[in-house]
Amino acid sequence: MGSNREAIEMGVRNAADIICASHQTVVLTGAGISTPSGIPDFRSPDSGLWGNYDPFEVASLSSFRYNPIRFYEWIRTLAGIVIQAQPNQAHYGIASLEELGFVQTVITQNIDGLHQRAGSKNVLQVHGSMESMSCVRCYKNFSAKRFISDYLENGTIPICPDCGGILKPDLVLMGEQMPAQTWLQAQDACKKCDLMIIAGSSLEVLPVAGLPMRALQNGAHLILINYSETYLDARADVVLHEDVAEIIPQIIKQINSERSGRCKR
Ligand SMILES: [Zn+2]
């Protein structure tokens, strides 16, 4: 295992060097960054969140409109976990890199809001968010917390205070369009960046999985930190098949030790 540790140390050093030398860095995060916070990957069949539910039956826009009560029954477990979850060292690490000027944009597939709660400012939630809700009738937008708490405690389905329509969490359901403005901003950030860091995404969910290609096409560097292999491992400058919550603090430590020397920002 000694050689593995050396490989990790070398990967961490290389990652720190590339981050220090880059000017426009995008971090793309997926479910793997929130699993250390106790949030299962709800798109995975192994998440334990599906039970007898068919994803396409409950978590699609058409079935939400047809049977919102069943949708809310399904999402109850996930909502209960998300509302209590706390950011982990990977979220805090990325937020501190942004504050230090080493990260310009965070693109996340996660709907848990943990990047913002850790202090990240420029976050693009391409799969939407559980933090807010919109009325399916009048499209007004509301903070989700009160409605979710009320549902978890009393089983009250979230209803629009203005028009009485049903409120839908602002997460992107199966078969639903990505939020257009956010998606355009994400594509733009990927085209402009000179470094992309993938943290906790297996790059399996389209179209987000295609974003790194836009960066690579423009010659950007790629750092991949994910437990399992991805289709871009062979094209990355650094690949670390490790826990992001352990690796990101190590990279930051390395950057901090270099900052007095060649890594200034
Ligand atoms: Zn309404």
Side-chain angles (χ1 to χ4, degrees):
M1 290 308 284
S3 61
N4 189 37
R5 185 178 298 165
E6 280 166 30
I8 293 170
E9 282 172 8
M10 186 190 277
V12 165
R13 271 200 307 276
N14 288 344
D17 286 346
I18 296 169
I19 292 169
C20 286
S22 300
H23 301 283
Q24 282 292 325
T25 296
V26 171
V27 184
L28 172 63
T29 70
I33 199 169
S34 289
T35 43
S37 292
I39 300 176
D41 177 6
F42 81 100
R43 283 179 176 78
S44 160
D46 306 323
S47 67
L49 287 173
W50 293 107
N52 295 321
Y53 294 100
D54 172 355
F56 288 93
E57 194 199 326
V58 287
S60 70
L61 185 60
S62 55
S63 61
F64 178 85
R65 288 176 182 275
Y66 179 70
N67 194 347
I69 291 170
R70 191 166 155 75
F71 169 86
Y72 274 106
E73 280 169 3
W74 164 72
I75 209 169
R76 187 183 190 106
T77 309
L78 180 63
I81 295 168
V82 168
I83 214 165
Q84 288 184 17
Q86 297 300 324
N88 62 57
Q89 289 311 310
H91 297 106
Y92 287 118
I94 291 167
S96 75
L97 285 173
E98 182 180 345
E99 203 182 348
L100 292 167
F102 291 110
V103 164
Q104 278 63 48
T105 308
V106 178
I107 301 171
T108 187
Q109 297 170 279
N110 300 335
I111 44 92
D112 50 44
L114 292 183
H115 281 299
Q116 291 91 329
R117 279 157 63 188
S120 284
K121 301 283 189 294
N122 192 17
V123 183
L124 300 172
Q125 295 173 293
V126 287
H127 287 162
S129 165
M130 288 265 289
E131 308 261 289
S132 61
M133 304 182 117
S134 298
C135 174
V136 295
R137 196 187 286 163
C138 75
Y139 301 105
K140 269 212 184 82
N141 195 265
F142 301 91
S143 168
K145 200 162 174 101
R146 170 169 62 102
F147 295 104
I148 295 282
S149 301
D150 203 27
Y151 176 66
L152 291 173
E153 279 163 33
N154 312 313
T156 317
I157 299 289
I159 296 289
C160 175
D162 284 10
C163 80
I166 288 179
L167 297 180
K168 176 190 144 327
D170 287 337
L171 56 105
V172 176
L173 299 179
M174 311 272 177
E176 195 176 9
Q177 292 290 322
M178 322 265 278
Q181 191 62 31
T182 306
W183 181 240
L184 288 173
Q185 287 175 308
Q187 287 177 305
D188 200 41
C190 292
K191 272 186 246 168
K192 282 187 194 148
C193 73
D194 58 357
L195 168 62
M196 179 164 248
I197 303 172
I198 312 239
S201 175
S202 303
L203 301 176
E204 282 168 348
V205 180
L206 286 167
V208 175
L211 283 175
M213 285 307 292
R214 292 174 182 271
L216 287 172
Q217 278 159 6
N218 289 327
H221 288 287
L222 182 63
I223 296 171
L224 253 161
I225 311 163
N226 190 54
Y227 256 133
S228 55
E229 289 177 17
T230 77
Y231 80 102
L232 285 175
D233 280 16
R235 300 205 47 189
D237 298 87
V238 177
V239 179
L240 288 156
H241 289 152
E242 302 293 328
D243 184 343
V244 283
E246 287 174 19
I247 291 294
I248 288 176
Q250 290 178 36
I251 292 174
I252 290 170
K253 206 172 152 197
Q254 183 69 30
I255 289 173
N256 283 334
S257 74
E258 291 182 16
R259 279 178 78 211
S260 52
R262 58 213 157 89
C263 188
K264 293 210 174 70
R265 192 57 51 113

Short mmCIF file of all heavy atoms in Angstrom, two decimals, residues 72-73 75-76 79-80 83-84 130 133 143-161 167:
data_model
loop_
_atom_site.label_atom_id
_atom_site.label_comp_id
_atom_site.label_asym_id
_atom_site.label_seq_id
_atom_site.Cartn_x
_atom_site.Cartn_y
_atom_site.Cartn_z
N TYR A 72 -44.54 13.46 -3.20
CA TYR A 72 -44.10 13.92 -1.88
C TYR A 72 -43.86 12.75 -0.94
O TYR A 72 -42.95 12.80 -0.10
CB TYR A 72 -45.09 14.93 -1.30
CG TYR A 72 -44.77 16.33 -1.77
CD1 TYR A 72 -45.57 16.97 -2.72
CD2 TYR A 72 -43.65 16.98 -1.29
CE1 TYR A 72 -45.25 18.24 -3.17
CE2 TYR A 72 -43.32 18.26 -1.74
CZ TYR A 72 -44.12 18.88 -2.68
OH TYR A 72 -43.79 20.13 -3.12
N GLU A 73 -44.62 11.67 -1.06
CA GLU A 73 -44.36 10.48 -0.25
C GLU A 73 -42.97 9.93 -0.55
O GLU A 73 -42.22 9.56 0.35
CB GLU A 73 -45.41 9.39 -0.54
CG GLU A 73 -46.71 9.62 0.18
CD GLU A 73 -47.82 8.70 -0.32
OE1 GLU A 73 -47.54 7.84 -1.20
OE2 GLU A 73 -48.94 8.86 0.13
N ILE A 75 -40.36 11.63 -1.89
CA ILE A 75 -39.25 12.53 -1.60
C ILE A 75 -39.09 12.79 -0.10
O ILE A 75 -38.11 13.38 0.34
CB ILE A 75 -39.40 13.86 -2.37
CG1 ILE A 75 -38.00 14.45 -2.65
CG2 ILE A 75 -40.29 14.86 -1.65
CD1 ILE A 75 -38.00 15.59 -3.62
N ARG A 76 -40.04 12.32 0.69
CA ARG A 76 -40.02 12.55 2.13
C ARG A 76 -38.68 12.16 2.76
O ARG A 76 -38.09 12.93 3.51
CB ARG A 76 -41.16 11.74 2.77
CG ARG A 76 -41.34 12.04 4.21
CD ARG A 76 -42.42 11.17 4.84
NE ARG A 76 -42.67 11.70 6.15
CZ ARG A 76 -43.74 12.40 6.48
NH1 ARG A 76 -44.69 12.58 5.62
NH2 ARG A 76 -43.86 12.90 7.69
N ALA A 79 -35.85 14.47 1.55
CA ALA A 79 -36.02 15.82 2.12
C ALA A 79 -35.61 15.84 3.58
O ALA A 79 -34.94 16.78 4.04
CB ALA A 79 -37.47 16.27 1.96
N GLY A 80 -35.97 14.78 4.31
CA GLY A 80 -35.61 14.69 5.73
C GLY A 80 -34.11 14.65 5.93
O GLY A 80 -33.57 15.26 6.86
N ILE A 83 -32.48 18.24 4.78
CA ILE A 83 -32.76 19.37 5.67
C ILE A 83 -31.84 19.34 6.90
O ILE A 83 -31.53 20.38 7.49
CB ILE A 83 -34.26 19.37 6.07
CG1 ILE A 83 -34.78 20.79 6.23
CG2 ILE A 83 -34.54 18.55 7.30
CD1 ILE A 83 -36.29 20.90 6.25
N GLN A 84 -31.35 18.15 7.25
CA GLN A 84 -30.47 18.03 8.43
C GLN A 84 -28.99 17.94 8.09
O GLN A 84 -28.16 18.03 8.99
CB GLN A 84 -30.87 16.79 9.23
CG GLN A 84 -32.19 16.97 9.96
CD GLN A 84 -32.53 15.77 10.83
OE1 GLN A 84 -31.67 14.96 11.15
NE2 GLN A 84 -33.78 15.68 11.20
N MET A 130 -33.23 21.90 -3.71
CA MET A 130 -34.33 21.61 -2.77
C MET A 130 -34.61 22.81 -1.87
O MET A 130 -35.52 22.75 -1.04
CB MET A 130 -33.95 20.43 -1.88
CG MET A 130 -33.94 19.10 -2.57
SD MET A 130 -35.49 18.19 -2.37
CE MET A 130 -35.40 17.75 -0.65
N MET A 133 -38.92 26.45 -3.84
CA MET A 133 -40.05 25.77 -4.49
C MET A 133 -40.79 26.76 -5.37
O MET A 133 -40.80 27.95 -5.10
CB MET A 133 -41.04 25.26 -3.44
CG MET A 133 -40.43 24.36 -2.42
SD MET A 133 -41.70 23.79 -1.28
CE MET A 133 -41.62 22.06 -1.63
N SER A 143 -39.03 30.14 -0.53
CA SER A 143 -38.03 29.36 0.19
C SER A 143 -38.70 28.07 0.69
O SER A 143 -39.83 28.09 1.18
CB SER A 143 -37.50 30.19 1.36
OG SER A 143 -36.76 29.35 2.21
N ALA A 144 -37.97 26.95 0.55
CA ALA A 144 -38.63 25.65 0.77
C ALA A 144 -38.72 25.25 2.24
O ALA A 144 -39.56 24.46 2.61
CB ALA A 144 -37.88 24.58 -0.01
N LYS A 145 -37.85 25.80 3.06
CA LYS A 145 -37.64 25.25 4.39
C LYS A 145 -38.94 25.09 5.20
O LYS A 145 -39.24 24.03 5.74
CB LYS A 145 -36.65 26.13 5.16
CG LYS A 145 -36.04 25.41 6.31
CD LYS A 145 -34.78 26.11 6.79
CE LYS A 145 -34.29 25.43 8.04
NZ LYS A 145 -33.24 24.53 7.98
N ARG A 146 -39.72 26.16 5.25
CA ARG A 146 -40.95 26.14 6.04
C ARG A 146 -41.92 25.08 5.53
O ARG A 146 -42.51 24.32 6.30
CB ARG A 146 -41.60 27.53 5.97
CG ARG A 146 -42.99 27.64 6.53
CD ARG A 146 -43.39 29.10 6.65
NE ARG A 146 -43.43 29.80 5.36
CZ ARG A 146 -44.58 30.06 4.71
NH1 ARG A 146 -45.74 29.68 5.20
NH2 ARG A 146 -44.55 30.72 3.57
N PHE A 147 -42.06 25.01 4.21
CA PHE A 147 -43.01 24.06 3.61
C PHE A 147 -42.55 22.61 3.82
O PHE A 147 -43.35 21.73 4.11
CB PHE A 147 -43.17 24.33 2.11
CG PHE A 147 -43.79 25.66 1.82
CD1 PHE A 147 -43.01 26.73 1.39
CD2 PHE A 147 -45.16 25.85 1.98
CE1 PHE A 147 -43.58 27.96 1.13
CE2 PHE A 147 -45.74 27.08 1.70
CZ PHE A 147 -44.95 28.14 1.28
N ILE A 148 -41.23 22.40 3.67
CA ILE A 148 -40.70 21.04 3.83
C ILE A 148 -40.84 20.59 5.29
O ILE A 148 -41.28 19.48 5.57
CB ILE A 148 -39.21 20.98 3.38
CG1 ILE A 148 -39.09 21.25 1.87
CG2 ILE A 148 -38.59 19.64 3.74
CD1 ILE A 148 -39.45 20.10 0.95
N SER A 149 -40.48 21.50 6.21
CA SER A 149 -40.61 21.16 7.64
C SER A 149 -42.06 20.81 7.96
O SER A 149 -42.33 19.84 8.67
CB SER A 149 -40.17 22.33 8.52
OG SER A 149 -38.84 22.66 8.25
N ASP A 150 -42.96 21.62 7.43
CA ASP A 150 -44.38 21.41 7.70
C ASP A 150 -44.84 20.06 7.13
O ASP A 150 -45.60 19.32 7.76
CB ASP A 150 -45.19 22.55 7.06
CG ASP A 150 -46.54 22.71 7.73
OD1 ASP A 150 -46.66 22.34 8.92
OD2 ASP A 150 -47.48 23.18 7.05
N TYR A 151 -44.32 19.74 5.94
CA TYR A 151 -44.68 18.45 5.34
C TYR A 151 -44.11 17.29 6.17
O TYR A 151 -44.80 16.31 6.44
CB TYR A 151 -44.18 18.35 3.89
CG TYR A 151 -44.45 17.00 3.30
CD1 TYR A 151 -45.76 16.56 3.08
CD2 TYR A 151 -43.42 16.12 3.01
CE1 TYR A 151 -46.02 15.29 2.58
CE2 TYR A 151 -43.67 14.85 2.51
CZ TYR A 151 -44.98 14.44 2.29
OH TYR A 151 -45.23 13.18 1.81
N LEU A 152 -42.84 17.43 6.58
CA LEU A 152 -42.20 16.35 7.34
C LEU A 152 -42.90 16.14 8.69
O LEU A 152 -43.05 15.02 9.15
CB LEU A 152 -40.71 16.65 7.55
CG LEU A 152 -39.84 16.59 6.28
CD1 LEU A 152 -38.42 17.07 6.59
CD2 LEU A 152 -39.79 15.19 5.70
N GLU A 153 -43.35 17.25 9.29
CA GLU A 153 -43.96 17.14 10.62
C GLU A 153 -45.43 16.73 10.55
O GLU A 153 -45.90 15.91 11.31
CB GLU A 153 -43.84 18.47 11.37
CG GLU A 153 -42.47 18.64 12.02
CD GLU A 153 -42.20 20.09 12.41
OE1 GLU A 153 -43.16 20.80 12.78
OE2 GLU A 153 -41.02 20.51 12.31
N ASN A 154 -46.16 17.35 9.61
CA ASN A 154 -47.62 17.16 9.61
C ASN A 154 -48.17 16.50 8.36
O ASN A 154 -49.37 16.26 8.28
CB ASN A 154 -48.32 18.53 9.76
CG ASN A 154 -47.73 19.34 10.90
OD1 ASN A 154 -47.54 18.79 11.99
ND2 ASN A 154 -47.41 20.59 10.65
N GLY A 155 -47.29 16.25 7.38
CA GLY A 155 -47.77 15.65 6.14
C GLY A 155 -48.56 16.61 5.26
O GLY A 155 -49.29 16.18 4.36
N THR A 156 -48.43 17.93 5.53
CA THR A 156 -49.16 18.92 4.73
C THR A 156 -48.45 19.14 3.40
O THR A 156 -47.31 19.59 3.36
CB THR A 156 -49.20 20.28 5.47
OG1 THR A 156 -49.49 20.04 6.84
CG2 THR A 156 -50.23 21.21 4.87
N ILE A 157 -49.13 18.84 2.30
CA ILE A 157 -48.54 19.04 0.97
C ILE A 157 -48.33 20.55 0.76
O ILE A 157 -49.24 21.34 1.02
CB ILE A 157 -49.50 18.50 -0.12
CG1 ILE A 157 -49.72 16.98 0.05
CG2 ILE A 157 -48.99 18.82 -1.52
CD1 ILE A 157 -48.55 16.11 -0.29
N PRO A 158 -47.14 20.96 0.30
CA PRO A 158 -46.87 22.39 0.10
C PRO A 158 -47.83 23.03 -0.91
O PRO A 158 -47.94 22.58 -2.04
CB PRO A 158 -45.43 22.41 -0.41
CG PRO A 158 -44.81 21.16 0.13
CD PRO A 158 -45.92 20.15 0.11
N ILE A 159 -48.50 24.07 -0.46
CA ILE A 159 -49.50 24.76 -1.28
C ILE A 159 -49.11 26.23 -1.40
O ILE A 159 -48.68 26.85 -0.43
CB ILE A 159 -50.90 24.67 -0.62
CG1 ILE A 159 -51.39 23.22 -0.54
CG2 ILE A 159 -51.93 25.54 -1.34
CD1 ILE A 159 -51.76 22.59 -1.86
N CYS A 160 -49.28 26.80 -2.59
CA CYS A 160 -48.95 28.21 -2.82
C CYS A 160 -49.85 29.10 -1.98
O CYS A 160 -51.07 29.03 -2.08
CB CYS A 160 -49.14 28.52 -4.31
SG CYS A 160 -48.93 30.26 -4.71
N PRO A 161 -49.25 29.97 -1.14
CA PRO A 161 -50.05 30.86 -0.30
C PRO A 161 -50.83 31.87 -1.13
O PRO A 161 -51.84 32.42 -0.66
CB PRO A 161 -49.01 31.60 0.56
CG PRO A 161 -47.72 30.88 0.37
CD PRO A 161 -47.81 30.15 -0.94
N LEU A 167 -47.00 23.43 -4.75
CA LEU A 167 -45.60 23.87 -4.90
C LEU A 167 -44.73 22.66 -5.23
O LEU A 167 -44.85 21.61 -4.61
CB LEU A 167 -45.10 24.52 -3.61
CG LEU A 167 -45.79 25.79 -3.15
CD1 LEU A 167 -45.15 26.30 -1.85
CD2 LEU A 167 -45.70 26.88 -4.22
#
